[in-house]
Amino acid sequence: MTITPKTIQIFLPSGEPHGIRIAEITTRIVQVIEVPRSLLNSFLGMEQSSQVGVYFLIGEDTEDGDRLVYVGQTGDLRARLTAHNQKKDFWERALVLISKTNSLTQTHALFLEWHSLQQIRIAGRFADENGNSGSRPHTPAPLEADCLEVFETSNILITSLGYPLFEAVIKARQTEDNDDDCFYLSDKNQTIKAKGVYTSEGFVVLADSLAVLETAKSISDSYKQSRQRLVASGIIKPNGEGQLHFDKDYLFGSPSGAAAAVLGRSANGWTEWKDAKGRTLNQMKRVNVGIEE
């Protein structure tokens, strides 16, 4: 799929940047409305709340480090969100997907709910609160095409608002050892080897990377606690050979956090991570930026 430039408009009905936000691509019919739970009553007074819609209830991080989401659809947003406000405790914000032309039908909404949940589970960034996702709803081919176009737009808007529900932490895994996008890390005894990619969001350690089993006494408390959460959540697991194994790609906020998780000690990730030619992440992504070879 070709990626093209886009202009997104975000409207603040109250003028407050942390209040209700309405995002849209002005040439398309889809809107996504971000509603803080504390302002739900304000949204319920807006005309958009009377439409058929798909909604995403977003919760805070769990002890395992996952963010929570619940996906639903309804022909009566006011009644459904009011019920969720009374009965569901975990969520802090709602993202509501509607049509500016009020043209979404219940059939659209059912397919979008199902498809969104599948994509959330594939991406693996958020833990969903839905339980069984049910079977794929029957949707005529022309209507399904409309739904997928709506989903594409909603993905752009929801991600732009800061909720990458459908985006994998790394879109295209790089697996060749000589690939310039990949960086590697080993301990001094060469008993473990980890592989990662530096992205616009942080540093991703790729699945099947290995980490040391024990932490050093000198590791900082924050890195130690972060590593303990990864083990407790099953993201990294003992492999029975005296090492820890990354079961999936995992995004760290910084290269140093990623290096500490792998090495079990405090580390400068900018100098520890190196490409296949031995050049450090610092050389490749900071020192040499803007310098032509």
Side-chain angles (χ1 to χ4, degrees):
M1 180 178 65
T2 302
I3 298 175
T4 59
K6 297 173 179 64
T7 299
I8 295 172
Q9 175 178 287
I10 298 179
F11 175 60
L12 310 176
S14 68
E16 294 291 335
H18 298 294
I20 292 174
R21 299 193 293 171
I22 304 175
E24 63 181 84
I25 297 173
T26 54
T27 56
R28 303 187 188 180
I29 67 167
V30 178
Q31 282 185 336
V32 173
I33 305 173
E34 179 185 3
V35 184
R37 189 168 186 169
S38 61
L39 297 177
L40 179 61
N41 202 49
S42 296
F43 171 70
L44 299 181
M46 296 168 57
E47 62 178 359
Q48 289 95 327
S49 67
S50 65
Q51 295 190 29
V52 171
V54 180
Y55 57 88
F56 307 85
L57 305 181
I58 307 293
E60 295 300 314
D61 293 359
T62 66
E63 291 183 359
D64 292 342
D66 290 324
R67 299 187 74 182
L68 296 176
V69 61
Y70 177 87
V71 186
Q73 60 77 32
T74 180
D76 189 344
L77 284 165
R78 288 171 181 156
R80 186 65 59 83
L81 292 179
T82 297
H84 287 323
N85 190 43
Q86 295 168 350
K87 297 177 181 179
K88 291 187 181 297
D89 294 331
F90 78 91
W91 64 282
E92 297 297 331
R93 307 183 90 77
L95 306 174
V96 181
L97 166 64
I98 62 165
S99 162
K100 292 189 291 184
T101 57
N102 203 359
S103 57
L104 287 185
T105 67
Q106 204 75 44
T107 305
H108 286 105
L110 284 167
F111 180 87
L112 286 165
E113 176 192 37
W114 175 84
H115 184 69
S116 296
L117 189 53
Q118 308 314 306
Q119 297 306 306
I120 286 169
R121 291 176 175 174
I122 291 171
R125 287 189 187 236
F126 286 68
D128 69 82
E129 290 280 288
N130 285 73
N132 190 339
S133 61
S135 58
R136 179 190 180 104
H138 173 70
T139 312
L143 199 59
E144 182 175 326
D146 288 344
C147 288
L148 292 176
E149 186 173 328
V150 169
F151 176 81
E152 178 191 355
T153 303
S154 66
N155 181 13
I156 295 168
L157 297 176
I158 289 171
T159 302
S160 297
L161 287 171
Y163 305 93
L165 295 174
F166 316 112
E167 299 288 325
V169 293
I170 182 165
K171 293 181 181 179
R173 296 248 332 232
Q174 306 294 333
T175 57
E176 296 298 327
D177 286 352
N178 62 354
D179 195 290
D180 289 339
D181 289 338
C182 290
F183 293 86
Y184 304 88
L185 181 60
S186 298
D187 63 347
K188 61 181 179 180
N189 298 321
Q190 299 292 307
T191 56
I192 59 102
K193 188 172 184 179
K195 181 178 179 180
V197 178
Y198 186 55
T199 74
S200 59
E201 294 181 87
F203 195 92
V204 178
V205 176
L206 299 181
D208 295 328
S209 292
L210 297 177
V212 300
L213 186 62
E214 303 293 339
T215 57
K217 292 182 179 179
S218 60
I219 192 172
S220 70
D221 288 342
S222 61
Y223 285 151
K224 184 177 182 179
Q225 291 167 6
S226 174
R227 202 167 185 271
Q228 289 172 339
R229 286 194 295 271
L230 292 176
V231 174
S233 63
I235 292 169
I236 54 177
K237 298 177 181 178
N239 64 359
E241 299 177 8
Q243 302 153 334
L244 293 172
H245 177 269
F246 278 77
D247 275 11
K248 66 176 183 178
D249 299 342
Y250 188 79
L251 173 66
F252 291 87
S254 70
S256 294
V262 170
L263 297 173
R265 59 173 173 80
S266 298
N268 182 348
W270 289 100
T271 56
E272 297 274 8
W273 290 102
K274 297 178 181 179
D275 70 7
K277 296 180 180 179
R279 299 171 296 188
T280 66
L281 180 64
N282 184 59
Q283 289 174 303
M284 298 307 298
K285 298 299 182 180
R286 293 203 296 193
V287 175
N288 290 336
V289 169
I291 300 175
E292 294 184 4
E293 295 188 355

